[in-house]
Amino acid sequence: MTPEERNIAENDLVWDFVDELAAIEAAEARLHAQRVELLARAMSLADTQKARIASTDSAQRDMPLRSIAAQLGVGIRVNDRTIQHQMNDAVQLTTLFPETVAALKRGQISRSHAVVMLDTGACLDDPEVRAAFEKVVLERAQTLTSGRLKAFARQLAEKLHPQSVTERYEEACADRRIYVVEQDDGMAQLVALLPATLAYAIMDRLTQQGKAVRSAANATPSAGESDAAGSGELPIPAASDGASAGAEAEPQVVDRRGLDQVRADLLADMLLTGTPSIDPTLDRRSGGLGAIRAKVQVTVPVTTAAGASDRGALLNGQIPIDADTARRLVGAASGFDRVMTHPITGMVLAVDRYTPAAEQDRFVDARDTHCRFPGCRMPAHRCDHDHTHDYAKGGKTEITNLACLCKRHHTLKGATDWTVTQDANGNLEWTTPAGRTYIDAPAPRVQFVPDSGSAPF
Ligand SMILES: [Zn+2]
């Protein structure tokens, strides 16, 4: 085979790949359309059930939807809130953008194109305007990636939008919030969604403060090499780690942090220890808002706490953190529950900050770490302690009859035909209104076998 022949053969192969991939993509789009229509049908069943409820109480009227979303969710191992969102989106897509669903069914656009349609066009209330928008955007979707389509559709919606920027800012501003996004390697993002003026102002203040900290560090006599972005120290209750930098010189702590690191430390410091300048609670609670301190739970293998192993610990039962930070917290900080676990079996050995009345609660928090409805990860400290067998019907207040349930799933259990039982090991058996059962075991803990054979207990 000559090089030319080989090139032709390989190019033919790639052409085949492209055709095959396009066929798979179109099939996926068709399947997605089916999924959307199914979820919309599930929603209309929920609406039918809701119409039969005489009560005007909104939480009660919401129960059919929640129960159906929960049944769909546990059936495919997806969080029920996610399914409920998808049901809402499905109804919006099928009712507001029927041509988009038809295009999905024909395999002409992808799922992500449909997402763009809904995200950018749902704000258009006038049916005629919306239909015109859909027509133009669908035409563009035939030739554009979803990313480029989004930029185009946004601008078009902006032009067609009946509300002024000011009105929309007011609505968007009501949605300002702060949330945490889990990352790998013991890290997490703290994300604040704020009006742009405040976000830039906060960044500017942190930058000015950070520069001041850095120039103070540079002004210190023996801080010659401090401009390199060093490892940086966490601002957590620092046991005095004598700086090992200058061996012979006087023990001077050299600040090697870069500007980014200083800004991050300042943010954490101010949020953990600062006092808001406006405090409506000041005359009602001693210390006001400034006296409220952060509370998190750290699960530490005994060998790590004792320094015999460098295996990591868990924050709030979910997020792996490094051994040094865990030891520092176990040693010093007062606002942390310390949950000691057996290094091999993962059994909870002890939970300290012990007070007799609260011991049971702490044990249940430590065992469950999150809501015990299948698939839910609402952290334990934001859950209720539910009597699995109802207290009013003779259920006892003991650890084998208590389980963490978030508000949402606590009400779901009480207000619908979902039922649950608990065995001696803390396993919950959930039965759906339709009669299917699902077991939720207490949170499995990732276990590390200690390096040295003998454990220190
Ligand atoms: Zn829950």
Side-chain angles (χ1 to χ4, degrees):
M1 197 189 273
T2 67
E4 287 76 25
E5 283 169 344
R6 192 190 59 210
N7 277 351
I8 290 169
E10 286 182 356
N11 283 339
D12 283 351
L13 199 56
V14 174
W15 267 115
D16 290 346
F17 288 160
V18 172
D19 289 344
E20 221 176 301
L21 186 62
I24 292 170
E25 190 82 356
E28 271 184 0
R30 277 193 291 276
L31 276 177
H32 185 63
Q34 282 180 26
R35 190 179 203 276
V36 164
E37 288 182 333
L38 180 140
L39 290 177
R41 289 202 330 257
M43 178 67 101
S44 90
L45 175 62
D47 286 340
T48 310
Q49 293 180 349
K50 180 177 165 181
R52 287 199 297 263
I53 296 177
S55 160
T56 52
D57 177 60
S58 65
Q60 220 175 321
R61 296 179 63 78
D62 208 25
M63 281 307 149
L65 171 58
R66 289 193 192 184
S67 178
I68 287 174
Q71 293 178 72
L72 295 177
V74 293
I76 58 171
R77 296 181 307 283
V78 172
N79 184 302
D80 57 321
R81 288 182 188 81
T82 308
I83 290 286
Q84 199 174 320
H85 283 140
Q86 290 176 354
M87 287 168 74
N88 281 319
D89 285 353
V91 169
Q92 282 211 303
L93 193 66
T94 50
T95 54
L96 303 183
F97 300 104
E99 291 306 316
T100 303
V101 179
L104 269 177
K105 270 190 194 161
R106 290 191 297 269
Q108 289 173 329
I109 60 166
S110 75
R111 173 189 179 160
S112 47
H113 289 105
V115 169
V116 168
M117 183 71 77
L118 191 58
D119 282 354
T120 56
C123 58
L124 301 170
D125 292 328
D126 184 322
E128 274 179 37
V129 173
R130 194 170 55 232
F133 170 86
E134 184 180 23
K135 186 163 185 284
V136 176
V137 175
L138 272 181
E139 275 167 24
R140 290 295 176 114
Q142 313 288 321
T143 55
L144 293 182
T145 63
S146 58
R148 290 191 179 182
L149 184 69
K150 187 167 191 174
F152 168 78
R154 252 200 202 134
Q155 286 172 33
L156 184 61
E158 175 79 43
K159 246 187 233 167
L160 298 172
H161 205 289
Q163 263 184 319
S164 70
V165 176
T166 312
E167 289 169 315
R168 277 182 289 142
Y169 169 75
E170 268 171 30
E171 279 183 30
C173 186
D175 204 27
R176 65 190 180 277
R177 62 188 184 274
I178 290 178
Y179 53 98
V180 175
V181 185
E182 214 173 303
Q183 302 285 327
D184 291 337
D185 303 328
M187 301 296 277
Q189 280 179 313
L190 178 76
V191 183
L193 183 64
L194 295 170
T197 46
L198 295 185
Y200 281 103
I202 289 170
M203 194 63 185
D204 179 62
R205 183 164 188 234
L206 288 172
T207 303
Q208 291 186 47
Q209 290 181 335
K211 284 180 175 166
V213 169
R214 300 262 298 126
S215 73
N218 286 334
T220 314
S222 71
E225 52 210 333
S226 60
D227 39 359
S231 62
E233 277 290 301
L234 270 178
I236 294 173
S240 52
D241 308 317
S244 53
E248 234 77 283
E250 67 268 24
Q252 181 94 45
V253 178
V254 179
D255 189 349
R256 297 172 190 278
R257 294 174 301 172
L259 184 57
D260 279 333
Q261 294 169 328
V262 175
R263 270 197 300 237
D265 294 351
L266 283 169
L267 175 82
D269 191 20
M270 284 194 282
L271 289 181
L272 287 174
T273 64
T275 303
S277 57
I278 299 171
D279 186 349
T281 73
L282 205 51
D283 46 356
R284 277 183 283 130
R285 50 184 302 157
S286 81
L289 294 176
I292 296 176
R293 286 292 185 248
K295 190 180 166 202
V296 294
Q297 192 183 60
V298 185
T299 305
V300 190
V302 167
T303 43
T304 300
S309 135
D310 255 351
R311 304 303 186 179
L314 285 180
L315 183 65
N316 285 345
Q318 298 181 358
I319 303 158
I321 58 171
D322 66 285
D324 273 344
T325 305
R327 273 196 290 270
R328 232 180 300 175
L329 293 175
V330 167
S334 59
F336 297 88
D337 274 345
R338 289 168 290 190
V339 182
M340 299 298 173
T341 57
H342 189 283
I344 297 166
T345 65
M347 278 282 292
V348 173
L349 296 176
V351 182
D352 63 8
R353 289 213 322 189
Y354 167 93
T355 53
E359 189 201 18
Q360 217 165 37
D361 284 350
R362 292 191 191 290
F363 183 91
V364 172
D365 277 355
R367 181 197 63 191
D368 290 355
T369 72
H370 53 61
C371 168
R372 295 291 307 282
F373 186 82
C376 185
R377 301 227 307 160
M378 186 65 76
H381 65 268
R382 286 165 60 191
C383 287
D384 300 330
H385 284 173
D386 171 58
H387 286 80
T388 307
H389 178 49
D390 204 347
Y391 182 74
K393 294 175 188 159
K396 288 186 180 150
T397 304
E398 54 190 22
I399 50 173
T400 52
N401 192 44
L402 289 171
C404 288
L405 288 185
C406 69
K407 282 272 177 309
R408 177 189 178 88
H409 293 126
H410 200 169
T411 11
L412 182 75
K413 179 194 161 204
T416 66
D417 293 333
W418 281 80
T419 58
V420 59
T421 56
Q422 181 170 172
D423 72 13
N425 295 320
N427 295 308
L428 296 188
E429 183 176 302
W430 289 88
T431 306
T432 75
R436 291 200 193 192
T437 57
Y438 296 91
I439 304 287
D440 186 76
R445 290 164 198 278
V446 179
Q447 288 313 318
F448 307 103
V449 179
D451 296 330
S452 61
S454 60
F457 52 87

